[in-house]
Amino acid sequence: MVEIVLSSYNGSRFIDQQIESIANQTFGDWLLTVRDDGSQDDTVQRLESWQNRLGERMRIMPSEGNVGVVRSFELLLGFSKGDYVMMCDQDDVWLPRKVEMTLEMMKEEEKKNSGKAVAVFTSINLVDGELKPKGMTFFEQNHFDFPFAKTFNNICVCNCVAGCTMMLNRNALRVALPFAESVPAHDWWVAAKVARNGILSVLETPTMLYRLHGNNVCGADVMEDGHYRKLMKSPLAVWRKYAEVRQFLKDVGFRWGFAGWLFYKLRHVAHRKLRN
């Protein structure tokens, strides 16, 4: 059984479309578990309506109010019971074969890597708030190529994994939980932990529509043109950038300090520039 965990917060604008796209998946053996993080709109009422419609295929996790998206997903992952777990944002649309295709790759990786922590992530199509295509995928926008981008050291300096595309097996959950206090983004932590301690596998086919609507909380960050060029002009800005993630890097297992972080950052910048 595949369990889909969704953290919601003031999501009434889009959440119906997201859950509808889950209900329309070609793979049918799934359970949707939702935790609301203290919504002040009618999100909870919409979730309860969906629970009545889906019955035993959906459960709403007890919530004690707002803890933020990182802790909310940590609670959801710890609460999950499925053989495989997928993380889901509230404002996207899953393509019909998303679960099926991701699970197929997961099973292939598990056959080759018996007993190991395995996480599979995919590409996504970028769209605006009304689902109008942006004309490129997340990987294309950010000039990611594989397997280079998904190695542990590269994940530590630039995360190529959107949490809303990930599927984890139970061993991957054991590797990823609990989260450290330093975690800036749940998908970055999970991707780095699995890349270091297991198998991080990529399906380069887009499996969902990712909305860029100005209020995104997590998921696929799209790098602005010239971001690194502007950053590298100021040594102090570079140090501050490292200082922001120093504890996270230590907690996730990156052992190369500032010099190593800068080396891998610059190498990643050069690689992406050549790809552009």
Side-chain angles (χ1 to χ4, degrees):
M1 185 264 287
V2 174
E3 184 165 358
I4 301 161
V5 297
L6 189 160
S7 178
S8 62
Y9 179 73
N10 291 344
S12 62
R13 181 181 175 190
F14 299 125
I15 201 164
D16 288 320
Q17 282 184 295
Q18 173 63 290
I19 298 179
E20 184 76 42
S21 72
I22 294 171
N24 290 332
Q25 289 294 299
T26 56
F27 180 84
D29 187 16
W30 52 262
L31 169 68
L32 174 62
T33 300
V34 184
R35 181 189 178 276
D36 185 75
D37 198 34
S39 291
Q40 299 173 338
D41 60 6
D42 67 345
T43 297
V44 173
Q45 289 74 27
R46 291 175 183 270
L47 293 175
E48 290 171 345
S49 177
W50 274 105
Q51 188 178 40
N52 289 334
R53 175 176 167 182
L54 295 175
E56 294 182 353
R57 304 187 76 186
M58 178 175 174
R59 59 177 180 164
I60 298 177
M61 180 182 172
S63 174
E64 297 181 358
N66 186 272
V67 298
V69 65
V70 172
R71 296 301 156 197
S72 188
F73 269 108
E74 182 182 20
L75 290 169
L76 279 162
L77 293 175
F79 190 71
S80 67
K81 62 181 183 180
D83 301 316
Y84 304 100
V85 179
M86 302 180 76
M87 292 184 283
C88 178
D89 292 345
Q90 65 184 5
D91 47 5
D92 304 320
V93 173
W94 285 16
L95 299 178
R97 295 188 63 225
K98 175 177 167 63
V99 178
E100 177 187 353
M101 293 171 63
T102 310
L103 183 60
E104 286 176 356
M105 176 160 278
M106 171 64 75
K107 293 291 185 66
E108 291 175 6
E109 291 293 347
E110 287 185 319
K111 286 180 181 178
K112 294 183 291 185
N113 302 280
S114 179
K116 290 193 175 183
V118 179
V120 176
F121 69 102
T122 79
S123 186
I124 51 184
N125 285 324
L126 302 176
V127 298
D128 66 14
E130 305 306 317
L131 301 181
K132 181 179 179 181
K134 293 283 188 177
M136 64 183 66
T137 69
F138 171 53
F139 293 162
E140 291 168 343
Q141 172 73 30
N142 289 282
H143 313 297
F144 291 135
D145 72 317
F146 303 97
F148 178 83
K150 70 182 183 72
T151 61
F152 172 69
N153 288 326
N154 285 321
I155 289 284
C156 285
V157 299
C158 184
N159 183 29
C160 62
V161 182
C164 52
T165 73
M166 295 184 79
M167 176 182 285
L168 312 173
N169 67 6
R170 299 307 303 184
N171 287 326
L173 284 171
R174 295 184 186 98
V175 163
L177 295 173
F179 290 2
E181 290 296 324
S182 61
V183 175
H186 63 283
D187 47 10
W188 194 7
W189 171 264
V190 174
K193 290 289 283 186
V194 175
R196 185 172 189 269
N197 300 286
I199 304 298
L200 186 62
S201 183
V202 59
L203 176 63
E204 296 188 54
T205 303
T207 60
M208 57 176 284
L209 308 179
Y210 180 84
R211 294 184 199 260
L212 296 170
H213 52 76
N215 295 312
N216 303 84
V217 175
C218 60
D221 294 324
V222 178
M223 196 63 66
E224 296 179 0
D225 290 339
H227 169 83
Y228 284 120
R229 184 173 63 252
K230 294 175 184 177
L231 180 66
M232 294 302 171
K233 285 183 178 180
S234 170
L236 182 58
V238 173
W239 171 256
R240 286 173 177 168
K241 193 71 175 177
Y242 169 73
E244 290 175 1
V245 297
R246 177 169 47 189
Q247 187 59 49
F248 164 75
L249 293 172
K250 180 179 179 180
D251 291 339
V252 86
F254 186 82
R255 297 289 181 255
W256 305 108
F258 175 70
W261 175 85
L262 185 59
F263 168 78
Y264 285 109
K265 176 73 79 173
L266 291 173
R267 190 180 72 156
H268 205 284
V269 171
H271 187 84
R272 289 170 68 174
K273 189 69 175 177
L274 290 173
R275 289 272 299 169
N276 188 357

